Amino acid sequence: MSSSTPHLRATFTDMAEGTQEDWSRIADEFLPFAAKLPLRVLDHLRLLDGDYGGFIVDRLTHSMQTATRAHHDGRDEEYVVCALLHDIGDTLGSYNHPDIAAAILKPFVSPENHWMVAHHGIFQGYYFFHYLGMDRNGRDKFKGNPLYERTAEFCAKYDAPAFDPHYRSLPLDFFEPMLHRILAAPRRERVPADG
C-alpha cells in the first residue's frame, strides 16, 4: 500500500475522468515503487524455499544452483539473473511458469535472454515429457530459430543438472546486487513493452 496521504492521491473513480494533476500524482508514486522491484522479486523468489514439488531439492535451491552454474561458467550478470529467476513463476503459473518469469524480465533483458526464459519449459521437457505421455521433442518446432541452440544449452548446462543436493550453490545474497543492477531500469529498446 502506498504511503501517500489521501490529498496526494488521484481523485478519479474512472480513468476516463482523470486529469493532468491526477496523473502527475500517480507518476510521482510510480518511480519509488518501481525502484523496489528487486526487493519484491527477492521476496517472491524466497517463496520457493521449502517448496519441493516432489524434487530432491526445493525450488529455491534449484534456482540458485542454476544461477551458480551459469555464474561459474562465466555468463554475464543478465544471463545469471535470468538463470536465477527462470522458475520464479512456479508459485503462480503452475502450468505456464516460463511466461511469468519472462514477463518479469522482459523490460530488463535482451530479446535473446527473454526468449530463452520464455521457452525454457518446452526445452526442459526434452528430459522428462516422455515419462508423462508427452512429446519430449516438442522443442523441435523451434528448430531453425537462431535461439534454439542457446535455449537447449541453457537447459542442458544449467537447468537440467541443477537438482543436486550436494552441489554448493552461492547464497541468494550473492545474487542480490546483480538483481538490483539488472532490474534498475528498463532497457531502452524494450520500452514501451508492446508485446
Side-chain angles (χ1 to χ4, degrees):
M1 186 158 176
S2 174
S3 61
S4 295
T5 56
H7 69 281
L8 297 177
R9 294 185 188 154
T11 58
F12 63 79
T13 57
D14 181 329
M15 282 184 153
E17 299 168 0
T19 65
Q20 179 64 53
E21 186 177 356
D22 287 329
W23 285 102
S24 293
R25 290 175 179 162
I26 291 166
D28 288 346
E29 290 288 319
F30 176 77
L31 289 178
F33 178 76
K36 294 178 183 174
L37 176 62
L39 298 175
R40 290 190 303 276
V41 167
L42 283 165
D43 286 344
H44 197 86
L45 195 59
R46 287 183 185 104
L47 294 176
L48 303 177
D49 188 16
D51 178 2
Y52 287 83
F55 294 99
I56 194 167
V57 299
D58 66 37
R59 295 183 200 284
L60 179 60
T61 299
H62 167 69
S63 297
M64 291 188 306
Q65 273 190 40
T66 305
T68 299
R69 289 170 186 278
H71 174 72
H72 287 329
D73 201 29
R75 296 297 181 155
D76 64 31
E77 284 192 352
E78 182 179 297
Y79 191 103
V80 171
V81 167
C82 288
L84 180 66
L85 300 184
H86 78 284
D87 281 349
I88 196 169
D90 279 343
T91 57
L92 296 173
S94 300
Y95 296 98
N96 66 329
H97 78 275
D99 297 334
I100 306 297
I104 293 167
L105 289 164
K106 184 176 182 178
F108 306 102
V109 302
S110 68
E112 294 80 10
N113 281 335
H114 176 261
W115 198 94
M116 178 183 74
V117 172
H119 293 85
H120 84 272
I122 194 166
F123 279 73
Q124 186 72 326
Y126 175 78
Y127 300 98
F128 69 91
F129 278 179
H130 53 293
Y131 296 121
L132 304 175
M134 299 165 64
D135 180 9
R136 73 183 299 192
N137 295 308
R139 68 187 188 173
D140 287 351
K141 69 182 176 183
F142 298 106
K143 279 214 171 178
N145 185 303
L147 300 174
Y148 180 95
E149 291 302 326
R150 177 186 187 84
T151 308
E153 178 185 57
F154 169 77
C155 291
K157 290 179 78 171
Y158 311 122
D159 194 4
F163 296 92
D164 182 350
H166 304 294
Y167 185 82
R168 293 181 55 93
S169 294
L170 293 164
L172 188 56
D173 62 1
F174 175 85
F175 299 106
E176 187 171 350
M178 291 182 196
L179 191 65
H180 280 276
R181 286 189 289 271
I182 297 302
L183 302 184
R187 294 169 60 107
R188 291 287 175 229
E189 69 267 20
R190 303 301 290 174
V191 179
D194 58 2

